[in-house]
């Protein structure tokens, strides 16, 4: 039996997805605004628990997506070795070890997570668009990426709510712009596949990083580091 990703996509599904993605192109630069009122009455521990569940789920999902994509579109060791090029979010100074995480102030760590999540807003939209039109990529991987995009927005809301609750009046940091659109849209298949593979590896790394930060932060704030 052929892998799911190599099976023909539903023609109707593709038309609907591509049509919607062309509409998204027109709102690419719109700012994201969230209503925080719905989170006011939620206990802070519940907010943490909900955000952690989303972060862990997204981390597992992005790893699946990256592995599925490489299994279907990356065919040589030399090609795979190139996938560790710089991610756009490496411009953010983030703690790498458990000790560094514990030494980072809670507001700083929360702002880092918000910056990382916001930095993926546009890349995720373009990733969905690229996979919807990529020959050989079908329903399974595409729907997973759409789910990651949607979950990222909900996660961002909850992290912002946590920041406001713990540090009222705190302002968000700027986030790095993604400059890889040209490669993702390249007419050269190898360039396009490499760009998508690299983007997925970066996404996997960042979602894992966020899940780690969030668990450490809950341990610090809710349990006073007694975990």
């Amino acid at each position: 039996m052929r892998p799911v990703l190599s099976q023909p996509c539903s023609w109707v599904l593709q038309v609907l997805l591509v049509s919607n993605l062309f509409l998204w192109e027109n709102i690419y630069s719109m700012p994201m605004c969230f209503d925080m009122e719905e989170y006011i009455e939620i206990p802070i521990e519940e907010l943490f628990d909900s955000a952690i569940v989303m972060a862990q789920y997204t981390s597992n999902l992005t790893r699946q997506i990256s592995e599925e994509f490489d299994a279907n579109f990356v065919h040589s060791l030399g090609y795979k070795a190139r996938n560790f090029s710089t991610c756009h979010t490496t411009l953010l100074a983030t703690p790498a070890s458990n000790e560094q995480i514990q030494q980072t102030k809670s507001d700083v760590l929360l702002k880092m997570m918000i910056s990382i999540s916001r930095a993926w807003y546009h890349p995720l939209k373009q990733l969905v668009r690229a996979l919807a039109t990529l020959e050989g990529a079908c329903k399974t991987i595409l729907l997973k990426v759409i789910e990651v995009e949607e979950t990222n927005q909900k996660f961002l809301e909850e992290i912002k709510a946590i920041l406001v609750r713990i540090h009222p009046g705190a302002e968000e940091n700027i986030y790095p712009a993604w400059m890889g659109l040209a490669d993702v849209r390249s007419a050269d298949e190898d360039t396009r596949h490499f760009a998508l593979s690299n983007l997925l590896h970066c996404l996997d790394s960042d979602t894992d990083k966020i899940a780690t930060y969030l668990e450490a932060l809950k341990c610090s704030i809710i349990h006073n580091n007694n975990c």
Side-chain angles (χ1 to χ4, degrees), residues 17-122:
L17 285 169
V18 174
S19 297
N20 286 333
L21 290 167
F22 275 113
L23 291 176
W24 293 347
E25 183 84 357
N26 294 326
I27 61 172
Y28 187 84
S29 298
M30 287 183 65
M32 294 178 290
C33 298
F34 301 123
D35 183 1
M36 294 288 110
E37 290 186 6
E38 64 178 288
Y39 298 102
I40 292 176
E41 302 299 326
I42 302 176
I44 191 66
E45 186 169 1
E46 288 186 20
L47 280 177
F48 267 109
D49 289 341
S50 176
I52 286 173
V53 168
M54 279 193 286
Q56 292 175 337
Y57 178 75
T58 303
S59 178
N60 291 332
L61 196 59
T62 56
R63 180 162 288 108
Q64 292 176 25
I65 295 168
S66 180
E67 290 174 354
E68 285 185 53
F69 185 88
D70 282 355
N72 284 270
F73 295 99
V74 179
H75 306 293
S76 71
L77 292 177
Y79 186 86
K80 290 187 71 172
R82 295 170 52 207
N83 278 326
F84 296 98
S85 62
T86 303
C87 302
H88 69 293
T89 51
T90 56
L91 294 173
L92 296 170
T94 57
S97 66
N98 289 333
E99 183 179 0
Q100 290 175 341
I101 294 172
Q102 292 172 359
Q103 292 175 349
T104 305
K105 294 180 179 180
S106 59
D107 62 326
V108 174
L109 205 56
L110 283 164
K111 289 179 182 180
M112 284 179 187
M113 287 186 277
I114 291 172
S115 293
I116 293 172
S117 293
R118 289 181 68 91
W120 279 101
Y121 178 75
H122 291 149

Side-chain angles (χ1 to χ4, degrees), residues 186-206:
S186 174
D188 180 76
E189 186 177 85
D190 285 343
T191 299
R192 190 166 66 253
H193 287 178
F194 165 70
L196 291 171
S197 177
N198 184 66
L199 193 60
L200 289 169
H201 276 269
C202 292
L203 178 62
D204 178 28
S205 174
D206 281 346

Side-chain angles (χ1 to χ4, degrees), residues 9-20 132 138-140 142-143 146:
C9 290
S10 163
W11 180 82
V12 175
L13 175 64
Q14 281 190 309
V15 169
L16 289 174
L17 285 169
V18 174
S19 297
N20 286 333
C138 195
K139 188 175 180 180
T140 303
L142 180 56
L143 292 181
I146 291 173

